[in-house]
Amino acid sequence: MAIRFEDIKEHIGSRVVWDDRADIFTPEAARAIRAKVEERTVVVFPELDLTDAEQLAITGAMGEKVRLTARNNVQSNDEDVYQVTLDEKINPQPEYVLGTFFWHMDGITVDMPPPFATLLSCRIAPAVGGETEFASTYAAYEGLPAEEKQALEGLKAVHSVRASLSPIADAIPEKHRERVLGIGLVKEHPLVWTHESGRKSLVIGTTADHIVGMEVPAGRAMLIRLQEWAAQPAFSLRHKWTKGDFVIWDNTGAMHRAIPYDKSTGRMMHRTSIAGTEAVAA
Ligand code: OGA
Ligand code: MN
């Protein structure tokens, strides 16, 4: 039997239903899942309990694997699998993970097309906190009033790692602060992304520092209003993790963030990424 999908909310999210676990690992399933990720932004596989090898197989079957931040991990497993954890024995630089508490898109400051999708499987679910939220930047753009869409045409935002770290800068130990904040990745992107499909989405999140050609306070206020707009309940989804859950989302059409959690919860997620095929275009 083929796998089936059920909608979670009107504008975002599908849940996968299967009879035989093996049905998830076929080439047809990989194509159907990729299409569903593009259509519904977030696809949830409840309690699938993937091994790393299985997660890498699905990742590779859906596209080209890409490694985002593996060098920050003291790896005890495959180097294409990033362990999202606040445990300093595995992740000696927790800043990157603390930065996930703020709405963002992955890989947006790196000099390559933004990754198409991020895949997370839950190894240790926290008892308190640590849900992941997703906000569809396609639905957010589509839902804007016509005159606001018009006002965003042609605007560009400057994205930087430094901007994304500003909410946690004073929590970085002083001896590391300048080195961490000095990660000099800066990239300009159109605020409205017209994808090759013709659909449009917003390119926003905590990496967006200011709008080119606008006074900084006014541009920042606009970026924050757009984040708030995209995060409204109609366009967003909160996933509460159960051990073994596996979630894939369209990183080119969504922002995401983790609800804060404490290191003592032991929360552990295994992450892989699929390369993007399109640069952000106006
Ligand atoms: C990430 C990320 C969210 C989470 O690893 O890029 O944003 O809930 N993770 O752990
Ligand atoms: Mn992320």
Side-chain angles (χ1 to χ4, degrees), residues 159-274:
H159 293 253
S160 68
V161 170
R162 195 177 183 97
S164 70
L165 290 171
S166 69
I168 63 162
D170 40 12
I172 301 173
E174 207 167 331
K175 63 178 195 293
H176 299 310
R177 196 174 299 152
E178 267 320 300
R179 176 182 52 76
V180 174
L181 294 178
I183 298 172
L185 293 170
V186 179
K187 208 153 162 58
E188 206 173 282
H189 290 296
L191 196 50
V192 178
W193 181 349
T194 306
H195 298 250
E196 282 167 12
S197 64
R199 293 169 73 205
K200 294 186 179 194
S201 67
L202 298 171
V203 180
I204 51 177
T206 182
T207 52
D209 183 58
H210 62 276
I211 299 206
V212 178
M214 263 174 92
E215 294 291 338
V216 168
R220 266 188 200 142
M222 172 186 262
L223 289 163
I224 289 171
R225 286 200 313 282
L226 289 171
Q227 267 196 41
E228 290 167 351
W229 173 259
Q232 66 178 281
F235 307 144
S236 65
L237 178 69
R238 176 182 286 201
H239 182 73
K240 178 158 178 61
W241 295 95
T242 298
K243 181 180 176 301
D245 286 354
F246 177 54
V247 175
I248 308 175
W249 69 92
D250 179 351
N251 180 62
T252 68
M255 303 185 289
H256 61 282
R257 69 176 175 189
I259 299 298
Y261 54 91
D262 195 80
K263 182 168 65 181
S264 65
T265 62
R267 186 187 195 266
M268 169 61 84
M269 314 292 280
H270 284 197
R271 188 186 74 186
T272 52
S273 305
I274 297 174

Side-chain angles (χ1 to χ4, degrees), residues 68 96 99-100 102 104-107 118 249 251 256-257 271:
L68 282 186
Y96 179 83
T100 68
F102 303 88
H104 66 283
M105 297 165 66
D106 288 339
T118 307
W249 69 92
N251 180 62
H256 61 282
R257 69 176 175 189
R271 188 186 74 186

Side-chain angles (χ1 to χ4, degrees), residues 1-150:
M1 275 285 280
I3 57 173
R4 298 179 304 283
F5 301 95
E6 294 171 347
D7 287 358
I8 299 175
K9 291 179 76 171
E10 182 186 351
H11 294 295
I12 184 169
S14 283
R15 190 181 303 109
V16 185
V17 181
W18 60 90
D19 302 307
D20 183 349
R21 198 174 179 279
D23 294 341
I24 291 167
F25 302 95
T26 66
E28 303 78 66
R31 276 193 292 277
I33 296 163
R34 184 169 176 128
K36 193 54 75 173
V37 170
E38 285 171 8
E39 179 200 337
R40 300 286 306 162
T41 310
V42 180
V43 173
V44 176
F45 300 73
E47 297 180 71
L48 181 58
D49 278 315
L50 290 178
T51 63
D52 282 345
E54 287 174 328
Q55 181 165 343
L56 286 165
I58 292 185
T59 307
M62 286 178 59
E64 192 195 322
K65 277 185 302 207
V66 64
R67 203 177 294 166
L68 282 186
T69 34
R71 266 171 304 157
N72 296 340
N73 243 180
V74 178
Q75 292 291 327
S76 57
N77 57 358
D78 192 288
E79 55 185 10
D80 283 322
V81 179
Y82 178 73
Q83 299 176 75
V84 184
T85 175
L86 287 172
D87 180 347
E88 278 133 13
K89 290 194 292 299
I90 297 167
N91 178 13
Q93 290 163 10
E95 300 81 31
Y96 179 83
V97 174
L98 295 171
T100 68
F101 294 177
F102 303 88
W103 286 117
H104 66 283
M105 297 165 66
D106 288 339
I108 212 78
T109 54
V110 182
D111 219 5
M112 63 176 176
F116 161 61
T118 307
L119 305 84
L120 271 188
S121 58
C122 178
R123 297 306 184 99
I124 301 175
V128 181
E131 300 91 337
T132 305
E133 292 189 315
F134 308 93
S136 169
T137 50
Y138 280 121
Y141 178 79
E142 280 152 26
L144 284 171
E147 62 277 14
E148 284 202 46
K149 286 182 180 158
Q150 190 70 47

